[in-house]
Amino acid sequence: MARFEEHVDVGTSVEETFRYITDQKQVASWNDHVQRVEVDGGGPVAPGTIIRQHRRRGNREFVLTFQVIDHESPRRHALRGEVFGTSTTMEFGLEPRGSGTRVSMAATVEARGLKGVLAPLVARQMRKSTVAALTALRERLGAA
């Protein structure tokens, strides 16, 4: 198992930040690996919603499927899915910081058996992507 957490302070309110992060039409604007997102049923996300992220990394295109496991507006949003053979949970936490918001993103990557050696490698790549995504999020929403 591997786990990490990163955070960034943005200049928007908790409510506005939560809406932006969980609006699947906006994900590609702050996560450069995501090309587009499909939400099963097309409606707003809620626990149980299935989300498909069409991603590009280098010359590779692939689809990652996640299920929303927690959606507590405006404080918490969590997804679970399989990333390169590992079970991955991603959690977004939001808390007020002055007139802005601290956005925390944590991930837990688990795998059993021989795939267990993949968990730290997947987590390391996810951490790099997370840092870049949070930096882009701060650029979009302004620094606190």
Side-chain angles (χ1 to χ4, degrees):
M1 181 176 86
R3 180 169 170 75
F4 69 85
E5 183 171 342
E6 297 289 339
H7 65 269
V8 67
D9 293 338
V10 299
T12 52
S13 70
V14 171
E15 293 80 11
E16 186 178 348
T17 304
F18 186 86
R19 278 191 303 273
Y20 188 77
I21 288 173
T22 60
D23 180 351
Q24 299 304 300
K25 294 175 188 156
Q26 297 296 333
V27 174
S29 72
W30 57 272
N31 188 326
D32 66 346
H33 291 120
V34 176
Q35 303 297 299
R36 64 185 170 88
V37 179
E38 297 172 359
V39 177
D40 275 7
V45 297
T49 299
I50 302 296
I51 295 170
R52 287 184 189 76
Q53 293 183 347
H54 296 259
R55 292 178 168 235
R56 176 186 290 277
R57 188 167 204 130
N59 291 331
R60 290 188 53 217
E61 290 187 27
F62 52 96
V63 177
L64 295 179
T65 302
F66 296 99
Q67 182 173 26
V68 176
I69 58 171
D70 200 354
H71 189 78
E72 299 172 24
S73 179
R75 303 292 181 146
R76 185 164 150 46
H77 178 72
L79 308 160
R80 182 176 296 137
E82 188 172 300
V83 177
F84 304 117
T86 65
S87 176
T88 302
T89 301
M90 294 179 293
E91 304 169 57
F92 292 87
L94 291 84
E95 61 184 75
R97 279 280 202 258
S99 62
T101 302
R102 170 154 288 183
V103 179
S104 298
M105 194 279 193
T108 303
V109 182
E110 300 177 274
R112 299 194 189 286
L114 292 175
K115 289 184 180 183
V117 299
L118 291 176
L121 300 171
V122 170
R124 190 171 18 249
Q125 290 303 311
M126 284 181 66
R127 180 176 231 147
K128 289 178 188 176
S129 294
T130 296
V131 168
L134 290 176
T135 298
L137 187 64
R138 183 177 56 224
E139 289 172 2
R140 296 268 189 266
L141 299 180

